[in-house]
Amino acid sequence: MKYRKKGVKREHSIIEDFEKDLQALVEIGLAKSVIPGRIYTSPKAQKGDKIIKYQYDTETGAKLLLKKGSTIQEAFVITDKRQELRAYLLNLEHGT
């Protein structure tokens, strides 16, 4: 079943703690829509900080990588504001 909640498509689950971050991208106008991909986990469970990285530009926006410990998920963002999105995520990563 597919549906949207606050601009985030619900076809796949979202790694715990990332839902609000993805919704915030829509709410602050950096994304028109977010489409989460499959979740991949390593057999060696590791704890770690949550990280959102800008991977690369796509035809309609950008691909992000969500990571928490040994769990990784791709998220595709539909946006016309790639540079602003990249700068915003870089600031989050560096804690500014």
Side-chain angles (χ1 to χ4, degrees), residues 29-31 54 56-64 77-90:
L30 292 176
Y54 191 103
Y56 56 80
D57 293 342
T58 65
E59 198 171 308
T60 58
K63 177 184 165 193
L64 307 181
V77 177
I78 298 170
T79 184
D80 295 327
K81 301 179 178 180
R82 290 178 184 93
Q83 297 301 333
E84 293 94 330
L85 176 62
R86 185 187 313 243
Y88 177 81
L89 294 175
L90 194 56

Side-chain angles (χ1 to χ4, degrees), residues 43-93:
K44 296 182 179 180
Q46 300 172 355
K47 291 187 178 186
D49 295 332
K50 74 179 193 178
I51 299 168
I52 303 177
K53 287 200 176 242
Y54 191 103
Q55 287 294 112
Y56 56 80
D57 293 342
T58 65
E59 198 171 308
T60 58
K63 177 184 165 193
L64 307 181
L65 191 66
L66 315 176
K67 184 175 180 185
K68 184 173 181 185
S70 58
T71 305
I72 297 174
Q73 182 172 23
E74 297 174 332
F76 297 90
V77 177
I78 298 170
T79 184
D80 295 327
K81 301 179 178 180
R82 290 178 184 93
Q83 297 301 333
E84 293 94 330
L85 176 62
R86 185 187 313 243
Y88 177 81
L89 294 175
L90 194 56
N91 286 337
L92 279 183
E93 189 177 331

